[in-house]
Amino acid sequence: MKAKKYCRLFLAVALVLLLMSASGCGKEKVTAKSLMEEVSANMEEVESARMNLKADITMGMKQSGISMDLEMNMDMDIESTKDPAAAYIKGNLSMNLMGINMEMESYSVVEDGKAVSYAGMAGEWTRTEAPIENGSEMAGINGMFADGTSFDLQKKTEKIDGREVYVLEGEISGRYMEDVMEDMSGTMGDIDWSDMTMDVVLKIDAKTKMPVEAVMDCGDALSGLMEGAMAAAGAGDAEVSIDDFIMTCTYESFDDVDEIVVPESVKKAAGGSSNTQSSLDSFLNNSEPQSDIPSSLPEQETESGQESEAESGDTAPLQNADGTYTLTHFFGKDSSVNVAVPEGYEVSPYSDSEYLTFTDTSDQPFNDIYIGYMLDDDYTEEEMEEYYISDVEYYEKDDSYSDVEVQEKKTVNVDGRDVSYVKISYVYEKDSYYVDYGIWTFLPDGGVVQCEVTETSYQTPCSVLDDSIVETVMSGISE
């Protein structure tokens, strides 16, 4: 009796196992290919998405025996829609070199049959336009989900914010990153991302079959391209290496983004005209760590009594027959002077008629000199001096600055005209050295020509400028 009892129990268990096995046979096994196909199909139905994109980059640079490391970090919140194709990006960019830390903002929309981008950085907006290409703003990074053959599905799932996720590891072509990296690639030269391959880790929600996170390692691919770009640019003995370049895209939500509209204030600030120059390029060329410090000069008014806000870059500088450039009044008054190009310098591509700028041509590694002229009026000698030394108090209170030294106002005669100047030197973040000259001279009609000269040097003290720069920059002023 006991043997029959055990036999019946064995048969019952076997039957249950058989039914479970049969049920299992009818369930399709999850593979990388099937999972990616399902994710791709789901993403095709998505009309909008919210994402966060982080990029952490470490670069090594070396020239003429001087080495330095550059760290760059980006943290961007992205809203994107499929129809109409549009994107809005807002975030932060920081670089250890010169202590840059700034907000970035951009709109990408369709206007009059063209793809138009408005980029805001360092308080300035630029507008660029290009022919419309196939696909939407969401097509770039989402394209990697279309092909699962190059991915391997890991055996174990993970947990992210309480959700079970599949983990896939593989390799993708850089063409999927081209749209995402459009702004950044503009600062690195003409990079063909399609030649790259990058290691990627994808994490997919096991329940919804929607992407949760994508982590891309772009370092090795970009290093090779940077070496080629440096050689093509004739950079001499300059060497650049990408030690790390990790991008992390987190998908936060889907189908909850309203229509993306460019504010009229942004369109007005961008001037409404095409500007093909990257805002980041412009900022880096003219950046100074104290750019967030408010000016202490009193507000100016136009002849009509209304406040006027000069928009840098609206008017290209005018070159005269004798090689000088015309500097117009910063606040629009009918006044101007001519400025000769200082010896050893060249006009900056970011210069305009209201703020005339020059950069040095010496090409010394990790050392740059910047000259900027402005024409204004209605100031006294005391106000000009106070303006140029007003930043010192800020430097002395901020731990980021050290070795702050101030050379009090001096007045010299240049071509029969009294020229005054102050000199300030300091170290920023322990390795970026600065020397600033604030120079000014008054014109017979009451106008004042201001000239700011800055030398920057990385890891070694500034060694190029001395007080002779005052005569260099002010001897070229003519009315």
Side-chain angles (χ1 to χ4, degrees):
M1 290 291 297
K2 187 177 292 188
K4 289 183 180 180
K5 182 178 180 181
Y6 284 132
C7 184
R8 286 196 297 269
L9 179 60
F10 174 79
L11 289 173
V13 172
L15 180 60
V16 170
L17 291 175
L18 180 61
L19 291 173
M20 290 176 63
S21 176
S23 175
C25 291
K27 185 177 181 180
E28 183 180 353
K29 181 181 179 181
V30 175
T31 66
K33 186 174 185 300
S34 66
L35 183 59
M36 294 290 271
E37 287 176 349
E38 192 169 356
V39 173
S40 179
N42 290 339
M43 291 299 290
E44 285 292 327
E45 301 299 320
V46 171
E47 294 298 324
S48 68
R50 297 181 191 272
M51 297 171 281
N52 175 266
L53 181 66
K54 289 183 172 64
D56 298 301
I57 308 168
T58 303
M59 303 172 62
M61 292 182 279
K62 183 177 181 181
Q63 186 174 16
S64 302
I66 301 177
S67 300
M68 62 178 288
D69 292 324
L70 170 64
E71 294 182 4
M72 179 187 294
N73 305 100
M74 287 186 8
D75 188 347
M76 303 292 175
D77 291 321
I78 303 172
E79 296 180 359
S80 181
T81 61
K82 183 185 295 183
D83 187 15
Y88 172 66
I89 303 175
K90 185 174 183 179
N92 178 269
L93 167 69
S94 62
M95 299 173 64
N96 67 329
L97 181 60
M98 297 177 7
I100 294 173
N101 193 325
M102 56 189 294
E103 296 294 322
M104 303 169 63
E105 191 173 5
S106 71
Y107 293 85
S108 298
V109 295
V110 175
E111 292 181 358
D112 299 326
K114 295 181 179 180
V116 178
S117 294
Y118 296 86
M121 190 178 299
E124 296 183 2
W125 284 90
T126 59
R127 180 183 186 274
T128 60
E129 58 181 43
I132 296 179
E133 299 179 359
N134 293 331
S136 70
E137 294 292 333
M138 296 175 58
I141 197 168
N142 294 344
M144 71 178 72
F145 302 110
D147 183 9
T149 59
S150 59
F151 285 85
D152 294 321
L153 179 63
Q154 303 305 295
K155 294 181 178 179
K156 293 184 178 180
T157 59
E158 294 182 2
K159 289 282 188 178
I160 295 182
D161 296 332
R163 293 179 291 174
E164 183 182 13
V165 298
Y166 291 112
V167 180
L168 300 100
E169 296 180 358
E171 190 176 81
I172 63 169
S173 165
R175 70 179 184 273
Y176 296 131
M177 295 303 302
E178 197 159 4
D179 290 338
V180 178
M181 294 300 295
E182 182 177 359
D183 289 335
M184 181 176 287
S185 65
T187 70
M188 299 180 181
D190 188 13
I191 295 177
D192 184 1
W193 287 84
S194 64
D195 290 339
M196 292 188 187
T197 56
M198 291 164 286
D199 293 329
V200 179
V201 176
L202 300 177
K203 298 183 180 180
I204 309 298
D205 191 307
K207 183 178 180 180
T208 64
K209 304 301 188 295
M210 295 291 283
V212 175
E213 185 180 85
V215 182
M216 290 144 280
D217 186 345
C218 313
D220 291 341
L222 194 57
S223 287
L225 288 178
M226 287 294 290
E227 292 175 5
M230 294 295 289
D237 64 345
E239 300 176 9
V240 177
S241 62
I242 307 296
D243 300 321
D244 291 293
F245 190 157
I246 305 297
M247 296 185 62
T248 303
C249 181
T250 302
Y251 292 80
E252 297 178 339
S253 63
F254 300 98
D255 293 331
D256 61 354
V257 177
D258 295 330
E259 182 181 0
I260 296 171
V261 178
V262 183
E264 289 300 320
S265 59
V266 170
K267 293 182 179 181
K268 182 178 179 180
S273 60
S274 179
N275 185 338
T276 57
Q277 183 63 50
S278 162
S279 295
L280 182 56
D281 286 347
S282 176
F283 176 82
L284 294 179
N285 189 72
N286 300 296
S287 61
E288 298 179 23
Q290 67 271 32
S291 59
D292 291 335
I293 303 171
S295 167
S296 60
L297 282 175
E299 291 182 348
Q300 293 296 300
E301 294 186 351
T302 65
E303 294 177 350
S304 63
Q306 298 297 318
E307 291 186 5
S308 174
E309 189 176 307
E311 293 181 359
S312 176
D314 283 353
T315 309
L318 303 175
Q319 186 174 25
N320 304 307
D322 61 357
T324 63
Y325 286 84
T326 298
L327 177 67
T328 60
H329 195 282
F330 191 77
F331 290 97
K333 292 186 178 180
D334 186 16
S335 177
S336 66
V337 296
N338 294 329
V339 179
V341 180
E343 184 177 356
Y345 296 84
E346 61 185 5
V347 66
S348 165
Y350 314 110
S351 187
D352 62 66
S353 64
E354 296 168 346
Y355 192 63
L356 193 57
T357 60
F358 300 89
T359 55
D360 66 308
T361 59
S362 62
D363 197 28
Q364 297 188 63
F366 311 124
N367 182 287
D368 293 290
I369 299 176
Y370 164 82
I371 299 175
Y373 292 88
M374 188 173 74
L375 175 61
D376 210 335
D377 58 18
D378 294 337
Y379 298 120
T380 66
E381 185 80 12
E382 291 73 21
E383 286 175 327
M384 292 306 304
E385 180 181 4
E386 181 182 354
Y387 169 66
Y388 279 117
I389 66 173
S390 61
D391 292 338
V392 173
E393 183 178 358
Y394 178 89
Y395 298 155
E396 292 175 340
K397 291 180 179 179
D398 192 326
D399 293 339
S400 300
Y401 298 87
S402 60
D403 300 328
V404 180
E405 296 183 6
V406 181
Q407 176 180 294
E408 294 184 356
K409 187 190 78 169
K410 293 184 178 181
T411 301
V412 296
N413 189 279
V414 179
D415 294 342
R417 180 186 290 120
D418 285 341
V419 176
S420 300
Y421 67 96
V422 296
K423 175 184 176 182
I424 303 171
S425 60
Y426 53 92
V427 180
Y428 184 74
E429 293 290 1
K430 300 181 180 179
D431 55 12
S432 295
Y433 293 78
Y434 284 80
V435 171
D436 291 337
Y437 279 88
I439 310 167
W440 65 95
T441 186
F442 287 92
L443 303 176
D445 65 358
V448 56
V449 178
Q450 304 172 43
C451 183
E452 299 178 358
V453 184
T454 297
E455 178 185 356
T456 65
S457 181
Y458 183 72
Q459 292 188 339
T460 58
C462 298
S463 59
V464 178
L465 292 183
D466 57 32
D467 288 5
S468 66
I469 189 64
V470 176
E471 182 174 359
T472 298
V473 300
M474 299 306 281
S475 61
I477 305 297
S478 59
E479 300 173 50

